[in-house]
Amino acid sequence: MGGKPDNVTKTERREPVTLLEAISEGLFEEMERDERVFMMGEDIGVYGGAFKVTRGFLDHFGEDRVIDTPISESGFTGAAAGAAHMGLRPVVEMQFMDFISPAYDVITNYIATSLYRGSGPLPLVIRGPVGGGNRGGPFHSQNVEMAFFHTPGLKIVYPSTAYDAKGLVKAAIRDDNPVIIEEHKGLYRAPFLREVLPENDYIVPLGKANVVREGSGLTVVTYGLMVHKSVEAAEVLHQEDGFEVEILDLRTLLPLDDETIVESVKKTGRLLVVHEDTRTGGIAGEIAMRVSEKAFEWLDAPMLRVTAIDAPVPYAGALEDYFLPQVEDIVTAARYLAAY
Amino acid sequence: MPATNPTDGTALVAGLAESQLHELYYALVRARAAEERLEVLHKQGHVGGGVYRSLGQEAGAVGAAYALNRRSDGSGDIIAQTVRACGALFLMGGKPLDFFRQYLARATGPTGGKEANVHWVDYRRGLVGPVSPLGTMVGVMAGITLSFRLKQEPRVGLVFCGDGATSTGAWHEGLNLAAVQRCPMVLMLEANQWAFSTPTRKTTRLESFTRKAAGYGLHAESVDGTDVLDVYEGTKRAVDRARAGQGAGMVEMRYYRRKGHAQHDNQEYVDPAELKVWEERDPITRFGARLLSEGWATQESLAALKARAEDEVRLAAEQAVGEPAPEGVHALDAVYTDRGAKTPWTRLEQPDPTQA
């Protein structure tokens, strides 16, 4: 077998990594740590994956642990479930998460129900790129969380930093439940996210949100690329309005960390949910309902949301920019709430 | 016990000795007796959900499972059964008592009332409970048998499904993956000519489902699904090939679903003359007649096997009837390994939405 590829040794060499390289390192280290971990997906072996997340893995681990599959999301996701029943810990890659839809049946009917049906736990990970802003058009840009958020038995994570990405990948692989990991393409190689990661083996626990910016005037609950747009907006509000926004990065969408959300809303009295996913049936609705249940009396304003519009993801730059939530939208919403 | 060819010269047919032929007959009459008992329980109001019969298909399930290495320590072959394969389920070591507990939704059953009928799992005995969209099970079994190949375990997996599942995308994706990964998997196609009320001619233009397998480069053969020895031999050939590393295969069992899809289906869409034809090819009657005409059994020995099977299922049914239903609150359990569902706030001692 080949040696360690250079894309997974940057942390060892104390060099900064991108979010994508952090994911590669997380996957690679788990495969080294636990021989039950193996991967399946389209073009992940010889080609190293459409985004090169698994570059060099085939040479190092061999074709029994890095399996190039036919284009068959339903077939290989089902096979992951079968292998997990037999004690392996599969990680499958969706080349683009938009293509997870053929596997919807096996994920929701089979995988998510397995433990409850008495068929045993299914420790498996389904991961892949999501998100817009890359002019990918309707089939290479979607966010798929809400297609699965409604399915008990699944966990869903969505990292926004290199540190979290590596720690969440490792935690997901070690979790005994099926976990879907959404990786935003716009963050994969974003230069501002490059950071030097700890050398030690660490995880980021599933189910815990992170307060990325403290503030007293408004709670912004968000995740993924929108964390960074929210931070930009918060900076504008700080500079121009002297208004301090608290930002929570959910990191795990399912199970949802109500505690951290409610705690923050009790402090600020105002809630804005920002997500890149489309509006109707988006996670904002669930978050607002939970806050209504648990912290209604602390609210000083209506709970609002900034989201993508209810449409497929368009291709043209002007259309996609209009489709996606922008920093100005967050600033506008925050000002509306501040003045309420 | 594994089905092994006797080496002491006692084999009578298909490499099987008299005691093994009797074991097959017992497995056939037990499957039928269990389902007949189930119908009675259903009429008495003990079964909340659907009752599925394998009348006319018993030889398929029994002959197939008899060709496997059956163990109870997790080292043997494995099957994903269907509702029309309880004969296979029992042969693998699934208990008739658990069969009744499942249909009767008893707390004591393998799924504690969370799942129905033959949908239960016992990995030690090689049982993988299916989900209702059966095409999905082909991919799952591809993964199970892929793990056998990766771990170099000399094990084989059978996945059962009916005519209907062959029309689904999942079926084709799973089969193709098993083929290219050279998984030791055999697909047991229950070609019973119906997908609920839809006849095979409306679901495929092919004369035989083996041609679908050929499309993926799999070895496939058709067997007479009403002849337990033909099913046994055909399955054994496919299983031996898979175990020897020659890849996945398919066995098409040709027979007829002589009851409706489930108890609620009165089969008004079926030509009674056609049913009559298949009634005359009843697998138990056929095998019994063969055993007698060849001198491999006597009327008395067959009657004794039947009586023993009926006793076994009657006792199991009686015990299951007397066992408790689950407490509703267990609906919360085991959604995740590390958490269940939350109690509805309206059912808390002090109703409180902040605890929702």
Side-chain angles (χ1 to χ4, degrees), chain A residues 140-203:
Chain A
H140 295 75
S141 307
Q142 295 168 38
N143 288 286
V144 301
E145 56 269 28
M146 297 313 283
F148 298 98
F149 185 77
H150 192 61
T151 303
L154 300 177
K155 296 186 179 183
I156 305 172
V157 305
Y158 198 146
S160 71
T161 67
Y163 178 91
D164 285 352
K166 184 171 179 179
L168 289 167
V169 161
K170 288 164 80 85
I173 291 173
R174 296 179 198 183
D175 201 281
D176 284 333
N177 299 280
V179 183
I180 295 173
I181 305 177
E182 295 188 72
E183 305 163 1
H184 200 292
K185 295 181 285 288
L187 301 180
Y188 265 163
R189 295 187 173 88
F192 74 95
L193 285 179
R194 283 159 59 91
E195 60 177 312
V196 179
L197 298 180
E199 278 181 287
N200 63 314
D201 175 37
Y202 73 93
I203 63 156

Side-chain angles (χ1 to χ4, degrees), chain A residues 64 67 70 72-75 78-79 82-83 85-86 88 105-106 110 115-117 119 121 153-155 177 255 293-294, chain B residues 111 114 121 123 131 133 136-137 139-140 143-144 147 149-151 170 173 177 181 331 333-334 336-339 354 356:
Chain A
D64 280 356
I67 298 175
S72 52
E73 288 80 8
S74 166
H85 283 318
M86 296 295 108
L88 299 179
D105 166 56
V106 68
Y110 192 90
L115 182 73
Y116 197 75
R117 290 185 284 113
S119 292
L154 300 177
K155 296 186 179 183
N177 299 280
E293 287 165 345
K294 292 169 196 290
Chain B
T111 68
K114 282 178 169 170
V121 162
Y123 295 121
V131 289
T136 302
M137 297 310 298
V140 172
I144 288 172
S147 83
R149 180 172 73 66
L150 297 180
K151 295 194 271 184
E173 291 194 14
L177 186 64
Q181 282 296 325
D333 299 345
Y336 294 91
T337 57
D338 47 6
R339 68 179 68 202
T354 71

Side-chain angles (χ1 to χ4, degrees), chain A residues 234-245:
Chain A
E235 202 48 43
V236 171
L237 292 159
H238 169 71
Q239 299 286 344
E240 297 180 9
D241 304 45
F243 184 64
E244 301 308 327
V245 171

Side-chain angles (χ1 to χ4, degrees), chain A residues 72-94:
Chain A
S72 52
E73 288 80 8
S74 166
F76 67 71
T77 307
H85 283 318
M86 296 295 108
L88 299 179
R89 300 180 84 87
V91 177
V92 300
E93 176 175 297
M94 296 290 156

